[in-house]
Amino acid sequence: MKRTSRLFTHSLFGPVLKILFREGKMPSLVNTEIEAAVKGFLIDQEKMTEVVERMTKEIKMGLAKDTHSRAVIKCFVSHVQDLPTGKERGKYLALDLGGSTFRVLLVNLLSESDVEIVSKSFNFPVTLMSGSGKALFDFLAECLSEFCHYHGLENESLPLGFTFSFPVQQQGLSKGILVAWTKGFSCEGVVGKNVVTLLQEAIDRRGDMKVNTVAILNDTVGTLMSCAYYHPNCRIGLIVGTGSNACYVEKTVNAECFEGYQTSPKPSMIINCEWGAFGDNGVLEFVRTTYDKIVDKVTPNPGKQTFEKCISGMYMGELVRLVVMDMVARDLMFHGTTSERMQERWSFKSSYISDIESDAPGEYRSCNKVLSELGIVGCQEPDKEALRFICEAVSSRSAKLCACGLVTIINKMNINEVVIGIDGSVYRFHPKYHDMLQFHMKKLLKPGVKFELVVSEDGSGRGAALVAATAVQGKAKL
Ligand code: BGC
């Protein structure tokens, strides 16, 4: 069979974009049995439309007071009702916890065009992810203290925005109850608690800085706010990184779980969808594979975050590894043997997928590097083609499902033009993710709806500062 590729020319907001990517077609060197094994990852247009329909129903359930408690997509109210005006000023601290790194930031909003950000990433010991909540928050406070002392801020009374990227039921801008851990975290004694209190208590226990936690926000909200600072038409924030989630601007009257939804003078409310949990009630089985089920079983939260586990960077690599190991066991790849490293769970990093797909078709420079890191030697071209084919199957399903999610939100908002602010390692580093997302959204959206996908810089820094500014201003008005 001939290698098939598809050329799609697409024009949106100006420049003509040429997209070249394979759409699930079998490359010449890939064995038909391997093709059959990855078939489950290929979702056609009909299935994508079905995903949009089912997700629409779930989002409506999450928003409505009567159905919220049994909804899987919770649509939490963020209590952020103001998009940035560009007039926000001042110095803010921010903490960013939720992905593979932990960061402390100092953000100085100097003028509309001048935002100074100083940040430091800290090594996050893996043991903290499953230790006690106290140990986790003490560590965060310790890093914050180190940062403040280094920058001579210990005597400054600074407001802090806490980007905490987990499902949180917010009861105000500065009160958020953790509903469940995701992305491999499972610290004891935090679920059901107000995480702002836990953080502030840890800061106060130290007694060596004057920081006041004024706001807690999800990373999607920071991403939206940060993007809206420069793109006033930004109404959706998306993360496709270690985890996946989206938020959007809803009419306050539709945010029924917000106490003042009928009386608030402010017309909008950012909704943190927490779309990662979509499918936890079984409605996504028709797009899941046996490999998804294996991955799910070995996570600390089996049966939870079904959609996220099909989409995000924490799981994509492991999905590829499981397919490859299955092919090896069936003697269809690598002469039926593989390395010790490849046999270890989670050893195939999702960044390898981006690397492998970055090679031009027929070239294997990055692929060879990945194989050597994994200790796999003596591979022939068909093995490398098969590996790339498996990576493409996993990444294109991720992009298709993400496109379904965004289209669901755009339809729900019933708007004709929108900017979507995006962050996360999968979106940033996968060579075709942006193009795939755009391609599939365009196919699913009603004609005439225009959208722009924009990388949002520093959601957890600038975004957190903007939300903290809202909180400080709100308090000042009271
Ligand atoms: C969390 C979300 C977060 C997303 C991206 C998910 O696991 O539940 O709150 O926005 O990851 O970081």
Side-chain angles (χ1 to χ4, degrees):
M1 200 182 287
K2 271 203 81 51
R3 183 191 303 272
T4 30
S5 61
R6 241 172 118 148
L7 185 65
F8 176 67
T9 309
H10 178 83
S11 163
L12 265 181
F13 293 96
V16 174
L17 214 77
K18 279 192 172 177
I19 304 168
L20 181 68
F21 58 86
R22 289 183 283 192
E23 256 282 87
K25 299 281 188 328
M26 190 180 72
S28 55
L29 297 172
V30 176
N31 182 303
T32 47
E33 288 180 68
I34 300 180
E35 191 206 15
V38 302
K39 225 179 188 128
F41 288 100
L42 308 178
I43 322 175
D44 59 18
Q45 185 77 8
E46 202 182 320
K47 281 191 178 165
M48 287 169 76
T49 308
E50 186 59 35
V51 171
V52 171
E53 261 169 43
R54 293 182 185 202
M55 199 169 189
T56 305
K57 206 171 130 207
E58 303 287 341
I59 286 194
K60 286 184 180 159
M61 281 182 74
L63 281 174
K65 218 182 341 188
D66 289 350
T67 45
H68 176 82
S69 63
R70 54 194 160 89
V72 283
I73 304 185
K74 285 294 184 193
C75 289
F76 291 121
V77 292
S78 67
H79 290 261
V80 178
Q81 292 193 275
D82 301 297
L83 289 178
T85 57
K87 306 246 176 312
E88 298 80 4
R89 297 286 177 272
K91 248 190 203 178
Y92 300 88
L93 283 163
L95 291 191
D96 174 19
L97 177 74
S100 41
T101 50
F102 166 64
R103 292 192 311 153
V104 183
L105 306 99
L106 175 67
V107 184
N108 199 349
L109 304 170
L110 292 160
S111 74
E112 201 160 344
S113 55
D114 195 4
V115 179
E116 212 175 66
I117 302 183
V118 188
S119 73
K120 181 170 168 121
S121 294
F122 289 84
N123 273 337
F124 191 80
V126 194
T127 47
L128 278 185
M129 289 171 73
S130 53
S132 75
K134 183 171 176 297
L136 171 72
F137 286 97
D138 279 344
F139 174 77
L140 304 191
E142 186 187 326
C143 297
L144 179 62
S145 162
E146 188 190 313
F147 182 89
C148 285
H149 283 83
Y150 183 82
H151 292 284
L153 302 168
E154 62 274 25
N155 294 319
E156 275 194 56
S157 223
L158 288 175
L160 179 140
F162 184 18
T163 308
F164 183 74
S165 308
F166 299 96
V168 163
Q169 174 114 47
Q170 278 191 237
Q171 295 170 355
L173 271 176
S174 61
K175 184 167 182 193
I177 312 292
L178 178 65
V179 173
W181 284 114
T182 59
K183 295 176 284 197
F185 279 73
S186 61
C187 308
E188 256 175 62
V190 188
V191 172
K193 301 263 172 65
N194 176 6
V195 282
V196 174
T197 308
L198 297 181
L199 174 67
Q200 193 61 46
E201 281 174 359
I203 294 172
D204 296 344
R205 261 197 300 279
R206 300 185 59 87
D208 62 352
M209 48 191 156
K210 292 184 174 161
V211 176
N212 189 15
T213 313
V214 296
I216 176 168
L217 63 144
N218 189 258
D219 50 355
T220 56
V221 176
T223 298
L224 192 164
M225 291 292 278
S226 180
C227 185
Y229 196 70
Y230 295 119
H231 298 83
N233 206 17
C234 179
R235 293 288 178 277
I236 299 177
L238 167 71
I239 300 282
V240 202
T242 308
S244 179
N245 185 19
C247 71
Y248 73 101
V249 178
E250 180 56 276
K251 295 189 184 78
T252 308
V253 286
N254 292 339
E256 290 185 15
C257 294
F258 174 52
E259 229 178 279
Y261 77 103
Q262 284 169 317
T263 50
S264 169
K266 298 190 176 176
S268 315
M269 168 69 81
I270 297 183
I271 298 292
N272 167 19
C273 297
E274 284 297 336
W275 79 12
F278 179 36
D280 290 2
N281 53 358
V283 300
L284 270 185
E285 292 314 292
F286 71 111
V287 298
R288 293 179 79 218
T289 66
T290 45
Y291 305 108
D292 292 297
K293 290 171 194 169
I294 303 174
V295 169
D296 180 52
K297 274 205 187 109
V298 298
T299 58
N301 56 348
K304 302 282 179 211
Q305 298 295 102
T306 309
F307 193 56
E308 173 167 84
K309 286 173 185 170
C310 293
I311 288 184
S312 76
M314 173 131 194
Y315 310 98
M316 282 164 73
E318 179 63 4
L319 283 171
V320 168
R321 192 191 72 86
L322 286 171
V323 180
V324 171
M325 291 306 289
D326 190 18
M327 298 306 101
V328 171
R330 287 152 64 178
D331 205 6
L332 296 169
M333 278 177 83
F334 304 153
H335 305 293
T337 59
T338 183
S339 66
E340 264 178 41
R341 178 97 183 105
M342 188 68 181
Q343 290 174 45
E344 282 166 30
R345 253 178 218 154
W346 312 108
S347 60
F348 197 99
K349 296 184 256 177
S350 291
S351 60
Y352 290 165
I353 298 178
S354 300
D355 295 342
I356 288 168
E357 291 191 50
S358 296
D359 282 332
E363 278 177 22
Y364 306 102
R365 232 170 67 128
S366 305
C367 180
N368 288 339
K369 206 166 155 255
V370 168
L371 288 168
S372 122
E373 268 183 44
L374 287 166
I376 300 173
V377 288
C379 275
Q380 302 303 312
E381 198 177 352
D383 281 332
K384 296 176 193 175
E385 268 301 299
L387 181 57
R388 184 186 175 112
F389 186 64
I390 295 165
C391 289
E392 285 176 343
V394 171
S395 62
S396 81
R397 183 186 65 168
S398 162
K400 283 178 182 177
L401 290 175
C402 234
C404 292
L406 290 175
V407 167
T408 304
I409 292 176
I410 295 173
N411 291 348
K412 170 75 186 67
M413 292 169 88
N414 195 18
I415 42 174
N416 290 325
E417 211 166 321
V418 66
V419 172
I420 300 157
I422 315 184
D423 206 351
S425 50
V426 175
Y427 180 78
R428 275 180 186 270
F429 302 125
H430 188 284
K432 288 173 294 182
Y433 208 87
H434 170 93
D435 293 351
M436 291 194 288
L437 199 54
Q438 188 161 263
F439 176 84
H440 293 296
M441 283 178 71
K442 181 83 177 150
K443 271 174 55 175
L444 287 167
L445 278 169
K446 283 183 245 145
V449 177
K450 289 183 184 168
F451 64 92
E452 195 178 359
L453 307 176
V454 173
V455 173
S456 177
E457 303 290 343
D458 262 310
S460 40
R462 190 171 42 224
L466 291 168
V467 175
T470 307
V472 172
Q473 280 158 18
K475 272 199 189 129
K477 269 185 222 148
L478 288 175

